[in-house]
Amino acid sequence: MTTDLDFLDLDRLLSEEERLIRDTTRGFVTDKVLPEIAGWFERGHFPRELAKELGGLGLLGMHLEGYGCAGTNAVSYGLAALELEAGDSGFRSFASVQGSLAMFPIWKYGSEQQKQRWLPRMAAGEVIGCFGLTEPDFGSNPAGMRTSARGDGGDWVLNGTKMWITNGGIADLAVVWARAEEGVLGFLVPADTPGFSTRDIDRKLSLRASVTSELVLDDCRLPGDAVLPGVRGMRGPLSCLNEARYGIVWGAMGAARACVASALDYATSRVQFDRPIGGFQLTQQKLADMLVELSKGTLLALHLGRLKDDGRLTPEQVSLGKLNNVREALEIARSARTILGANGVTLEYPVIRHANNLESVLTYEGTSEVHTLILGQALTGLDAFN
Ligand SMILES: Cc1cc2nc3c(=O)[nH]c(=O)nc-3n(C[C@H](O)[C@H](O)[C@H](O)COP(=O)(O)OP(=O)(O)OC[C@H]3O[C@@H](n4cnc5c(N)ncnc54)[C@H](O)[C@@H]3O)c2cc1C
């Protein structure tokens, strides 16, 4: 079995360019992330300086066209997400938020001037973005948001609190969704705007190599042209989430692959009762089940990627992918952890780190329950949210 665990030979279904992007991202993760990640996770640190390297490799906003973005297809973006998350979900989260949640709304709904001002520097990793939708009292139901935007002369004045915001404390620019008289609008808030402040959320036991923060908007005054002119209503933030969720469908399989690889390696070298534990049928059952789910999930991600590149991918199909692949990745991580025995609970091996990270991935970008309800509604035509 090769180290990339490509049992179904999915490599054959990729183009030369897609393989190159995958291999480049994998090289970055091998050289820059894996040697340090256990320490970063332990210290709760995200190495901000690597943003420019990610930008230099063309991995930030890579599926967007123009404005310094690489303009790759959706499958290449997915492959990069998979390889980044094989390193750590924190790195995939960083790239997802930068590309799909901060750059995408500017690219899709921004004015020409906003695009020129922000996108090239964000693609280069010189400007870091975040996406403020969730609030302390509104998570799964963001439409209830209380953050308000009031017109005042030609300006906007924002008030409210956003919670659980990835990259918040290191961001130069926050994309903030707020309720105005005209409906929910998106605002570009530079971090040095008076009235804007952040507070990092400490004591997280998941996604530790990723900054998660609270954003406070206290009479935060913005010029009239800070609003994204091209969208109104919840369609704006939800369309961004759909882009990022697509990346998670792939990314989760990266975390899963790292866990299977670690468990396989351990199972063939750890000896108990005078034989490698991989020789016991119970261990083989775990490994075989992991391989089946890893292969199915990766194939599903590739299929959804091809649909996206054809312009045919629906939000409900993304929900199916996110629900399945994160759920199965978490199962794989937990099962791999058992194979590693006591070593499985230490940072000497990647498995418990991935398992802990995946707990956040299960919750953000729509919880598994929310995606289940989306599929339930698609099947029955009945809304079970309220
Ligand atoms: C590490 C991390 C990073 C994040 N990054 C960002 C970010 O960058 N930007 C951002 O805006 N947000 C971010 N989030 C927030 C994330 O999107 C929310 O946590 C998520 O939407 C869930 O909201 P909640 O935590 O308030 O849970 P709640 O909505 O309070 O849900 C709690 C539980 O109730 C269930 N539930 C809720 N409603 C229903 C229902 N109708 N039927 C059945 N069950 C239901 C949920 O599925 C869940 O199990 C992040 C979260 C984490 C943990």
Side-chain angles (χ1 to χ4, degrees):
M1 174 69 69
T2 55
T3 49
D4 61 3
L5 291 163
D6 184 13
F7 195 74
L8 298 180
D9 201 9
L10 300 184
D11 189 67
R12 274 174 178 262
L13 304 178
L14 304 179
S15 69
E16 270 306 307
E17 191 190 338
E18 288 162 353
R19 283 193 206 112
L20 184 67
I21 289 169
R22 178 199 60 194
D23 293 344
T24 305
T25 314
R26 192 180 293 179
F28 167 82
V29 169
T30 305
D31 295 345
K32 299 288 169 82
V33 178
L34 292 181
E36 303 291 341
I37 187 63
W40 291 331
F41 187 94
E42 197 166 20
R43 296 198 303 279
H45 173 70
F46 174 77
R48 186 198 163 111
E49 62 280 6
L50 288 188
K52 285 189 186 149
E53 295 203 31
L54 287 166
L57 292 173
L59 297 176
L60 300 178
M62 63 189 283
H63 58 313
L64 308 178
E65 286 282 349
Y67 307 97
C69 304
T72 70
N73 67 2
V75 167
S76 299
Y77 168 55
L79 288 162
L82 186 151
E83 295 300 334
L84 287 175
E85 196 147 358
D88 190 82
S89 302
F91 274 77
R92 200 268 309 133
S93 296
F94 176 83
S96 289
V97 168
Q98 179 80 351
S100 290
L101 296 181
M103 294 174 71
F104 175 79
I106 300 173
W107 180 84
K108 179 98 178 157
Y109 307 121
S111 66
E112 188 54 36
Q113 195 208 4
Q114 288 169 336
K115 292 179 197 183
Q116 300 278 4
R117 179 174 176 199
W118 295 110
L119 291 178
R121 286 185 295 150
M122 293 176 89
E126 289 161 12
V127 165
I128 293 177
C130 70
F131 175 89
L133 178 65
T134 305
E135 299 186 356
D137 293 333
F138 296 94
S140 298
N141 178 25
M145 71 175 69
R146 288 204 192 100
T147 299
S148 66
R150 173 172 56 82
D152 185 35
D155 294 345
W156 290 99
V157 179
L158 268 57
N159 277 290
T161 305
K162 297 291 179 180
M163 196 66 182
W164 300 109
I165 308 305
T166 303
N167 297 351
I170 56 168
D172 306 291
L173 178 70
V175 176
V176 173
W177 300 93
R179 181 179 306 290
E181 237 173 56
E182 333 30 8
V184 170
L185 297 174
F187 293 89
L188 303 185
V189 185
D192 57 4
T193 309
F196 176 84
S197 60
T198 67
R199 188 183 61 83
D200 290 347
I201 296 170
D202 297 324
R203 309 182 86 182
K204 269 186 307 164
L205 296 178
S206 174
L207 277 185
R208 289 186 53 73
S210 170
V211 176
T212 315
S213 318
E214 181 182 5
L215 312 182
V216 178
L217 299 130
D218 182 11
D219 278 335
C220 182
R221 183 172 287 273
L222 297 165
D225 63 3
V227 70
L228 293 172
V231 75
R232 188 174 294 188
M234 287 305 290
R235 189 172 64 84
L238 293 182
S239 64
C240 303
L241 289 172
N242 202 48
E243 292 292 306
R245 285 167 184 169
Y246 163 75
I248 293 175
V249 176
W250 284 90
M253 287 298 107
R257 189 188 71 196
C259 292
V260 179
S262 181
L264 185 57
D265 187 45
Y266 195 84
T268 47
S269 57
R270 172 73 175 170
V271 172
Q272 286 295 290
F273 300 98
D274 301 323
R275 58 195 292 207
I277 58 170
F280 299 124
Q281 290 182 355
L282 290 177
T283 308
Q284 290 192 2
Q285 165 130 52
K286 291 177 190 171
L287 290 168
D289 285 346
M290 286 186 217
L291 179 67
V292 168
E293 292 308 328
L294 174 66
S295 304
K296 280 157 60 180
T298 310
L299 191 55
L300 171 61
L302 180 59
H303 174 64
L304 296 187
R306 295 287 181 228
L307 285 180
K308 187 164 167 60
D309 279 325
D310 266 5
R312 291 190 292 136
L313 183 64
T314 67
E316 291 78 12
Q317 289 167 334
V318 175
S319 284
L320 187 150
K322 202 249 175 191
L323 176 64
N324 181 76
N325 283 12
V326 179
R327 185 163 69 189
E328 295 306 328
L330 195 51
E331 265 315 300
I332 286 172
R334 288 174 179 157
S335 182
R337 216 288 305 148
T338 67
I339 291 179
L340 272 75
N343 278 316
V345 304
T346 74
L347 282 173
E348 296 303 312
Y349 295 85
V351 174
I352 193 83
R353 176 169 54 78
H354 283 299
N356 279 12
N357 285 340
L358 286 165
E359 294 290 345
S360 286
V361 181
L362 192 70
T363 285
Y364 70 22
E365 307 276 352
T367 65
S368 52
E369 291 81 6
V370 162
H371 290 295
T372 303
L373 296 180
I374 290 171
L375 293 179
Q377 184 173 17
L379 281 167
T380 64
L382 302 169
D383 167 0
F385 283 90
N386 295 303

